[in-house]
Amino acid sequence: MSLFDRLFGRGRRERDEDEEPPRRRVWGIRRDVLELICAAAREQHPHEFGATLRAEKGVVTEVVLTPGTIGGDRHTFINYHMLPIDATIVGTIHSHPGPYAIPSDADRQVFNAFGHTHIIIAEPYTFDTWIAYDQHGEAVELEIVDE
Ligand code: ZN
């Protein structure tokens, strides 16, 4: 590729693997919130923990408990009418008692219907066992933000 092409983006420019994608509306999660999620998931084990996520200025700042379980693979019941109508609520968090933080079909339906930033945390509920997803069930990266 010529220097001109590189400077002005002419020609067929392949997207670099390590090129930063544009930042999402929600791009981070506060470390203490993630710690709380780990602790809550452990406490609920072997049951699922479910809640909604509140974000401010692109960073998840709070776990908001809601009536009923959000998501859930074996006993899904989602009270949409009880979910907060609140623009700061950006999505859901739930735990998977098991090794896989992969959304089930039921999870994908929840992701698609409510919010745009979702987290699943699997056993053993550590900083290494959670994955964030967008509303389409595609994994997205959330930075851990120290306050
Ligand atoms: Zn699930």
Side-chain angles (χ1 to χ4, degrees), residues 48 71-73 94-96 102-104 107 120:
E48 290 189 8
D73 299 305
H94 75 282
S95 66
H96 278 183
I102 308 293
S104 65
D107 291 339
I120 300 176

Side-chain angles (χ1 to χ4, degrees), residues 48-52 65-71 75 77-79 82-83:
E48 290 189 8
F49 168 71
T52 57
L65 296 173
T66 53
T69 302
I70 307 299
H75 36 76
F77 61 103
I78 307 139
N79 297 321
M82 295 183 84
L83 290 173

Side-chain angles (χ1 to χ4, degrees), residues 84-131:
I85 310 228
D86 179 340
T88 66
I89 301 291
V90 296
T92 63
I93 153 74
H94 75 282
S95 66
H96 278 183
Y100 305 111
I102 308 293
S104 65
D105 289 345
D107 291 339
R108 286 175 185 276
Q109 283 174 26
V110 173
F111 293 179
N112 206 255
F114 181 75
H116 51 76
T117 302
H118 304 274
I119 292 174
I120 300 176
I121 187 165
E123 279 184 65
Y125 315 120
T126 68
F127 276 33
D128 296 322
T129 62
W130 63 282
I131 299 175

